[in-house]
Amino acid sequence: MLLLRILLVGFFLFASVDACSPSDRAALLAFKAALQEPYLGIFNSWTGNSCCGGWYGVSCDPETLKVTDITLRGESEDPIFEKAGRTGYMTGSISPEICKLDRLTVLVIADWKGISGEIPKCLTKLSPLRVLDLVGNKISGEIPSDIGNLNSLTVLNLAENAISGSIPASIVNIGSLKHLDLRNNRITGEIPSDFGKLQMLSRALLGRNQLTGSIPDSVTKMYRLADLDLSMNGISGLIPANMGNMPVLSTLNLDSNRLSGQIPPTLLNNDGLGILNLSRNGLEGQIPDVFHPDSYFMALDLSFNALKGPIPNSLSSAKYVGHLDLSHNHLCGSIPNGSPFDHLEASSFTNNDCLCGNPLRTC
């Protein structure tokens, strides 16, 4: 009898190691009930009480046994995907019951292609949340207006959905935010004028939306920003003069907007800016003759603007220019000799007013 008691105690102790709290388990099951995943059996393991050990994509704090992490990716190298020979597909919506997981720090429900509905507004009450990644679904509605309450958030990825409305003004209060990706949605309105308050931000990817207004001057004071994508919007006005002085900016995509005025010289003599795309705007004036031996452009695209005058001779002094496109402008004069011009094709220079020289017609 004593041996039986010992065995029973040991069994229950072992079983309780992987058991999350009843309230967390109920919240997970409600979250599961609102989703349908027909091909991979992602939720087949979500049975019993061992939600901290055996439930796919769920992790817990080992001391409190509270759920801290839900990571469900529809595109993964996990064996469950390799065995099925396909990527994931899931429909349904994100249940507000998930907000009862009050210790949640990571919520990734990414690339399932068919999840719809809105972002539960109650998510903004999950103060421990550090990562919110809902990329690659069909989520609609607006970004919760009080998203700025998530003071611990470092990653906000809502790209490739059907989100509408404007960028909430409160977003600038997320002082810890490092990665912001809102690309390929239906977001309208202007970029908040005090967007530059996001001093920890290293990537701001807002392309392929319906944003209007101008680029806020405050952006030029974001000293950790390395990658800025505002492409394929309706942004107008001038490019801020000090944008080229941003110390770690390496990729700047402003193409397919309604920008006007001249190209700030600081953009072209910044030796850290490796990818610059200003194509398909209304930029005027001459290309600043400010290139130097430390200039290093993997891609420089100024096509489809209203630029005039000659191609700067100083571009020949650049250390490296990989892809260069100056086509569809009003440039005139001789194409300089030497690198990088000796490896470029005619398509880099076509549809200008009177350019000549290799690889175009002889002057």
Side-chain angles (χ1 to χ4, degrees):
M1 184 63 72
L2 179 61
L3 179 60
L4 180 59
R5 288 179 178 176
I6 292 173
L7 289 173
L8 287 173
V9 170
F11 171 79
F12 286 117
L13 284 174
F14 177 79
S16 67
V17 168
D18 292 333
C20 58
S21 70
S23 60
D24 278 12
R25 181 178 179 274
L28 288 171
L29 291 176
F31 166 74
K32 169 189 171 183
L35 296 168
Q36 295 80 47
E37 191 283 296
Y39 300 113
L40 302 173
I42 290 292
F43 292 121
N44 288 351
S45 62
W46 286 37
T47 59
N49 295 319
S50 299
C51 35
C52 287
W55 289 25
Y56 184 89
V58 178
S59 301
C60 300
D61 184 305
E63 294 182 2
T64 64
L65 297 181
K66 297 284 288 181
V67 174
T68 58
D69 188 327
I70 298 176
T71 300
L72 301 173
R73 296 188 183 277
E75 296 179 3
S76 169
E77 296 179 358
D78 189 282
I80 196 171
F81 292 87
E82 295 181 3
K83 183 178 179 180
R86 60 166 297 143
T87 58
Y89 180 76
M90 196 183 298
T91 57
S93 60
I94 302 172
S95 170
E97 292 294 306
I98 202 170
C99 301
K100 294 181 179 178
L101 301 173
D102 56 3
R103 293 293 182 269
L104 196 65
T105 61
V106 174
L107 179 59
V108 178
I109 310 170
D111 297 313
W112 291 102
K113 307 173 186 68
I115 296 176
S116 57
E118 299 189 1
I119 302 169
K121 292 181 172 55
C122 57
L123 282 178
T124 61
K125 300 187 187 322
L126 294 179
S127 56
L129 200 62
R130 296 199 313 269
V131 175
L132 179 58
D133 185 349
L134 307 178
V135 63
N137 290 292
K138 291 183 179 178
I139 295 169
S140 59
E142 300 186 4
I143 302 170
S145 60
D146 55 352
I147 192 78
N149 291 343
L150 295 175
N151 296 322
S152 301
L153 204 65
T154 61
V155 174
L156 178 59
N157 189 353
L158 306 177
E160 297 175 24
N161 279 287
I163 294 169
S164 58
S166 59
I167 300 173
S170 72
I171 202 169
V172 303
N173 297 326
I174 312 176
S176 56
L177 195 62
K178 296 180 180 179
H179 178 103
L180 174 64
D181 194 347
L182 305 179
R183 287 176 296 181
N184 201 15
N185 279 288
R186 301 169 186 172
I187 298 171
T188 57
E190 300 187 7
I191 301 169
S193 60
D194 52 351
F195 194 76
K197 286 178 62 177
L198 295 170
Q199 285 293 301
M200 297 299 292
L201 203 63
S202 62
R203 303 189 79 198
L205 310 177
L206 311 179
R208 287 177 286 168
N209 279 290
Q210 300 166 25
L211 296 170
T212 54
S214 58
I215 302 172
D217 285 332
S218 65
V219 169
T220 66
K221 298 178 174 61
M222 301 174 73
Y223 300 121
R224 291 180 175 86
L225 192 64
D227 188 349
L228 177 60
D229 181 4
L230 304 179
S231 64
M232 300 180 71
N233 280 288
I235 295 171
S236 58
L238 307 178
I239 300 173
N242 291 325
M243 184 157 273
N245 294 329
M246 298 170 69
V248 299
L249 189 66
S250 60
T251 299
L252 179 60
N253 290 313
L254 302 180
D255 54 290
S256 304
N257 280 289
R258 299 173 184 171
L259 296 169
S260 58
Q262 300 189 12
I263 299 173
T266 56
L267 276 183
L268 298 183
N269 70 4
N270 181 335
D271 53 20
L273 190 56
I275 297 176
L276 176 61
N277 191 346
L278 305 179
S279 66
R280 299 180 185 275
N281 281 288
L283 299 173
E284 302 173 323
Q286 297 193 7
I287 301 173
D289 193 3
V290 293
F291 299 94
H292 51 82
D294 289 328
S295 297
Y296 192 103
F297 287 98
M298 291 177 283
L300 176 59
D301 193 343
L302 308 179
S303 64
F304 289 91
N305 279 289
L307 301 170
K308 62 183 181 180
I311 297 174
N313 283 317
S314 63
L315 191 52
S316 298
S317 69
K319 181 184 294 185
Y320 177 77
V321 179
H323 171 79
L324 176 67
D325 194 345
L326 304 178
S327 67
H328 297 270
N329 279 289
H330 300 295
L331 300 174
C332 202
S334 300
I335 297 173
N337 296 318
S339 178
F341 303 100
D342 51 9
H343 73 265
L344 296 173
E345 298 181 0
S347 58
S348 295
F349 308 101
T350 55
N351 293 95
N352 276 286
D353 286 2
C354 47
L355 281 180
C356 60
N358 186 53
L360 300 180
R361 62 179 176 82
T362 304
C363 292

